[in-house]
Amino acid sequence: MTDHRRAVHPEVSRPPVRAHLDPQRTRRYRLFSAAVLLAGLGVATAVLLGHADRLEPGQLLIAGPLLAVGFLLSEQLSIDFDVRQISWTISFAEIPLVLGLVTVPFEVVLAAYLVAGLGVQIYRHKLRHLSYHAGIMCLEVAIPYFVFYVLRNDFPAMPVWAAAALGVLTSPLVSTALGLGAMNVLGGELRLPAAARLGLRSLVVCLLNVTVGLVAFVLVTNAPWGWLLAGLLAASMVALYRAYSGLLREQRDLETLSDVSLNVARSGQDVMNKASVLTNVLPPEDPADWQAIVERIRDQLNAKRVVLHLKMDTDDVRRLVAGVPLPDGDEPDRDDPILQLAGNHVRYFKLSDAADDVQEALRRRGVYEVLVVPLRGASQPLGAMEVHDRLSRWRGFGSADVRLLRTLSSHLATAMDNRRLVGRLRHHAYHDPLTGLLNRTGFREVAGDPVRGEDACVVMRIDLDVMSGVADALGYAWGDRMVLAASRRLRDALGGEVPLARLEGGSFAALLVDRTHEQAQEIGEKLRAGLSMPYPVDKLTVEASALIGYVSNTTEDGDDTIDVDTLLQRADVAVQAAHSGSDPVRGYAPSMGQIFLRRFQLVTQFRSALETGQVTVHYQPKIALPSRQVVGVEALVRWRHPEFGPLDPDEFVPAVEATGLVDALTSFVMEQGLQRVRQWLDRGLRMSTAVNLSVRNLADANFPDLVAEALRRYDVPPQLLTFELTESGVMSDPERALPVLRRLHAMGVTLAVDDFGTGYSSLAYLRQLPVDEVKIDKSFVLGMGTDLSDMAVVRAIVELGHSLGLTVVAEGVEEDSAREQLVSMGCDVAQGYLISRPLSEERFEAWLRARTIRARGLRDETVLTLVS
């Protein structure tokens, strides 16, 4: 039968406003319980007075105790599960009920049921809902007997077993209706379809139990050795129910473990997202996050109350309670015998057999039994968890509850330990271990937004110019003491709100927001005066001085796109100028840019480098997905300088672009690429070449004519030439760039947007650009394996490109897993170190011979396919 009586306790219900905190709802529940009791007593009295069965003493003395034992045994094998705010139970109680219905009078079954049920309630000290339980027990016995008597009187031809079955089938309907009524009184909600499904399932289980009971009765009364068959049938049913109960319990336990772990992880992620790089500690944890976790544990264990004691980083203990509030005056006590735990195992205490001090602790909590388990991290205790009073009429906590709590506590402790470890790692990642100040990475993180913003910011670099001498003379330990002393002086002078970092050695950096050059000069003088005071280190007094350089994010040269690293570099240039000059506090000026001398040399020598063969073109292959056919290459410029050696393109290409030599560079790369394509065509290979375009190329109205002339000269189809352009290059001057792009597109040249996804204008302008391809920036492709947000960006770009009819190319593919993920997303082309690094002409030809196989294509051309 479906037993809902234990389910409607206010401790189990979770209405929007808790019943134990709402006096009006509590009064309504008490009135409802009284009404159920009066109704049960009334119906039982009516049935008792209306039936004509004569009670025999033997029935009361023999059948009564047997039925009571049957009711108790049926509940020992019950299956508990939750539906919304209510805990429900499936049991075998219909079996003794139907057996009693066909064998003994009403009062015997009622007495056995009340003795079994109410006796356990009293034994378990569940007296708060005794009236409700007594009323529903009377109704669950009286109504089936009433239906049975009516059917027997009005339909005498009906078999006894049929009348008994129909009578007992009313029991789950009564239980379900009253359980839903109690839930409604307590503020819970259950929609009509869910309630109907619940009632139907209750009827199915009841029908199965009734059938088993009646079959057993028939076997025992009509067949020789029928009691043996009935016993086998009962044993089979018990095994079946126990197996199902175990599977259901395991499923719910796994769901609870998953929910708790995910909630802790999600809460930790929220804390990390809210954490400030400037602070040395994580922000306070949201109690609501932990409250939801504790509520979930209480629901799974079907407990009256769960108390979670969390030890915070400040050694304070936070206590979270789910379920019935603790009695007034029960405050955490370090000497509480229940919380004096050793080891990691679960302890079980029961009021009836516990030691005197434990009994007193249980009475203070107002509970009969408690499970308690410590939460221990890898190196420190994290708290403890208490579970009070299982909300079951018949049973207390069992071995399955102990196993689940042990596993939950292990998962919870591990998650909490990892969460705190991540917090410490985050702190170490952004802070200097010696001084506790920000490190270079942390300073870059903190200063990024203000520097990029509209406010005037000053980056100040402070160098102690005697640090190396102190370290050499006295050792590094003395140098560290000097650094600590200097960091305290800087922090005291600047205040706690100014971002301050130790970059390396005796070098510091500070960010001054909304400061002018004059104010920065004044602050620099003040800091230098404080740092230049003698340092008493143990018995020594060390004289020191400081050099300070500063730079604003709005410099005189008009460059308003600089980042934090550039400002730090320029501040360092100012420090070097202060070191070589007479003024120890210097502001950056463009004339100090001696670091650009090398760039100037490169620019002046670039054209001769093109003519003398120092500049060459390397090729990086691109393959189609998933066929792995080599479809083209990207032509990349390389420069081997006779004095500086191999130069990074990021070093000389920006300088070339800035000085107007980019036209010569683009023409050189394009010519080399087209010549290579022509050679491949002569060998039957149809592969394209991609060339990067600059802002200046797009601003040249004659550039399409130069491209057309080169295509005619090498007799290369325009489809085999691809120009890659950055969205920032197009959007810097769209009125001049778009006509050039339209002319190139009309010629049949393939246009691709490079580094797609990194600019602010991608989605807004993509439909306006006459492009054929999008190249996903390699930063997203490289992060796909570790960052779900990067994977989401890549997937979104693939879908966006395909929705616009564009070919999608992924660059930066360095792992097989990334390639397989791109294939599953439907990406068209891949490029990266997994396939090949950029290679010179000779090495690329050797790569084609060694890494590809040749086949005949559909148009009778040679197709090269990459070998795994």
Side-chain angles (χ1 to χ4, degrees), residues 421-693:
L421 176 61
V422 170
R424 290 193 294 270
L425 292 176
R426 175 186 173 90
H427 172 73
H428 295 329
Y430 290 110
H431 292 81
D432 175 58
L434 175 64
T435 62
L437 302 176
L438 297 171
N439 57 19
R440 184 181 293 272
T441 303
F443 186 78
R444 186 186 296 114
E445 182 76 14
V446 171
D449 289 340
V451 165
R452 290 188 296 267
E454 298 180 357
D455 296 335
C457 298
V458 174
V459 171
M460 182 172 289
R461 179 158 177 155
I462 306 104
D463 282 7
L464 297 177
D465 63 349
V466 297
M467 284 305 303
S468 60
V470 172
D472 292 341
L474 303 175
Y476 287 102
W478 290 84
D480 289 345
R481 296 177 188 178
M482 285 279 296
V483 171
L484 278 171
S487 67
R488 295 191 189 101
R489 293 186 185 183
L490 288 172
R491 175 53 70 202
D492 293 340
L494 293 173
E497 300 300 323
V498 175
L500 178 62
R502 180 198 178 200
L503 302 179
E504 64 271 333
S507 179
F508 300 87
L511 177 69
L512 308 176
V513 180
D514 197 18
R515 293 291 192 274
T516 63
H517 278 271
E518 292 75 13
Q519 293 172 326
Q521 180 72 26
E522 181 180 349
I523 293 173
E525 296 286 356
K526 177 181 177 182
L527 293 179
R528 180 181 177 277
L531 292 174
S532 299
M533 296 176 63
Y535 291 83
V537 182
D538 288 345
K539 298 180 180 180
L540 298 178
T541 299
V542 179
E543 298 289 340
S545 61
L547 298 174
I548 298 177
Y550 61 88
V551 62
S552 173
N553 60 342
T554 54
T555 57
E556 296 179 7
D557 57 6
D559 185 1
D560 56 355
T561 61
I562 51 180
D563 55 14
V564 179
D565 290 329
T566 302
L567 292 179
L568 285 172
Q569 184 183 28
R570 292 182 178 180
D572 184 58
V573 171
V575 169
Q576 298 302 323
H579 189 274
S580 58
S582 58
D583 189 352
V585 180
R586 295 287 299 272
Y588 174 81
S591 58
M592 298 176 181
Q594 298 300 319
I595 59 173
F596 301 114
L597 177 60
R598 169 170 164 150
R599 178 178 296 181
F600 175 77
Q601 292 176 330
L602 296 179
V603 170
T604 57
Q605 299 171 8
F606 180 74
R607 189 174 292 277
S608 62
L610 287 176
E611 298 171 354
T612 58
Q614 298 175 22
V615 178
T616 59
V617 175
H618 286 201
Y619 302 94
Q620 186 174 30
K622 299 191 290 185
I623 65 168
L625 297 177
S627 66
R628 301 189 181 185
Q629 177 183 343
V630 181
V631 295
V633 296
E634 182 177 2
L636 300 169
V637 64
R638 294 293 185 266
W639 184 0
R640 177 174 291 276
H641 195 277
E643 178 182 355
F644 304 132
L647 299 176
D648 192 329
D650 292 337
E651 179 180 5
F652 67 87
V653 170
V656 170
E657 290 181 342
T659 54
L661 295 175
V662 70
D663 292 333
L665 174 60
T666 303
S667 298
F668 174 80
V669 177
M670 181 178 63
E671 295 273 345
Q672 294 292 316
L674 291 176
Q675 183 179 2
R676 181 57 52 184
V677 170
R678 182 66 261 167
Q679 294 176 2
W680 291 330
L681 287 173
D682 294 339
R683 291 156 47 191
L685 297 176
R686 186 178 178 85
M687 295 193 302
S688 65
T689 184
V691 178
N692 290 288
L693 288 188

Side-chain angles (χ1 to χ4, degrees), residues 676-868:
R676 181 57 52 184
V677 170
R678 182 66 261 167
Q679 294 176 2
W680 291 330
L681 287 173
D682 294 339
R683 291 156 47 191
L685 297 176
R686 186 178 178 85
M687 295 193 302
S688 65
T689 184
V691 178
N692 290 288
L693 288 188
S694 169
V695 179
R696 292 183 177 271
N697 298 133
L698 297 177
D700 184 4
N702 297 322
F703 181 72
D705 298 329
L706 298 176
V707 174
E709 194 277 331
L711 290 171
R712 286 193 299 269
R713 183 159 20 97
Y714 290 100
D715 191 20
V716 171
Q719 294 81 8
L720 297 183
L721 175 61
T722 300
F723 285 125
E724 297 183 1
L725 50 123
T726 60
E727 53 190 339
S728 59
V730 178
M731 295 310 147
S732 62
D733 190 0
E735 293 182 358
R736 300 181 65 181
L738 287 176
V740 174
L741 291 177
R742 293 191 183 101
R743 288 184 58 190
L744 292 172
H745 191 264
M747 292 166 49
V749 174
T750 302
L751 299 179
V753 178
D754 198 9
D755 300 335
F756 186 79
T758 59
Y760 64 91
S761 58
S762 297
L763 301 180
Y765 290 94
L766 184 58
R767 295 185 61 185
Q768 301 179 20
L769 298 178
V771 297
D772 308 282
E773 293 181 2
V774 290
K775 293 191 70 174
I776 306 173
D777 186 74
K778 63 181 179 181
S779 62
F780 299 113
V781 178
L782 291 173
M784 282 197 309
T786 57
D787 193 335
L788 292 179
S789 61
D790 285 344
M791 181 178 293
V793 170
V794 173
R795 188 183 302 276
I797 294 175
V798 172
E799 294 175 356
L800 173 65
H802 289 167
S803 67
L804 298 177
L806 305 178
T807 301
V808 181
V809 181
E811 56 182 348
V813 180
E814 296 186 3
E815 297 178 354
D816 285 321
S817 59
R819 179 176 59 189
E820 298 302 324
Q821 289 172 337
L822 291 169
V823 170
S824 65
M825 295 178 188
C827 185
D828 302 301
V829 179
Q831 173 184 351
Y833 286 176
L834 177 66
I835 303 164
S836 173
R837 294 174 176 270
L839 304 172
S840 63
E841 293 183 6
E842 296 78 13
R843 294 184 63 190
F844 181 75
E845 291 296 334
W847 180 89
L848 287 177
R849 290 190 298 270
R851 293 295 307 280
T852 63
I853 57 175
R854 296 172 178 263
R856 184 62 57 186
L858 296 178
R859 294 179 293 182
D860 203 34
E861 79 278 9
T862 301
V863 176
L864 299 180
T865 303
L866 182 66
V867 179
S868 298

Side-chain angles (χ1 to χ4, degrees), residues 216-254:
F217 173 74
V218 172
L219 289 173
V220 172
T221 57
N222 296 325
W225 296 87
W227 59 269
L228 180 58
L229 293 176
L232 292 176
L233 178 62
S236 300
M237 286 297 299
V238 169
L240 177 63
Y241 267 86
R242 290 181 68 87
Y244 176 71
S245 175
L247 290 174
L248 184 63
R249 176 71 186 235
E250 290 179 4
Q251 179 185 359
R252 294 181 58 216
D253 289 351
L254 288 175

Side-chain angles (χ1 to χ4, degrees), residues 5 80 171 521 568 857:
R5 295 178 297 281
D80 297 330
S171 180
Q521 180 72 26
L568 285 172

Side-chain angles (χ1 to χ4, degrees), residues 311 315-317 331-337 339-340:
K311 184 177 181 182
D315 289 336
D316 294 334
V317 177
E331 297 296 331
D333 186 359
R334 294 183 181 272
D335 298 327
D336 193 316
L339 297 179
Q340 299 301 312

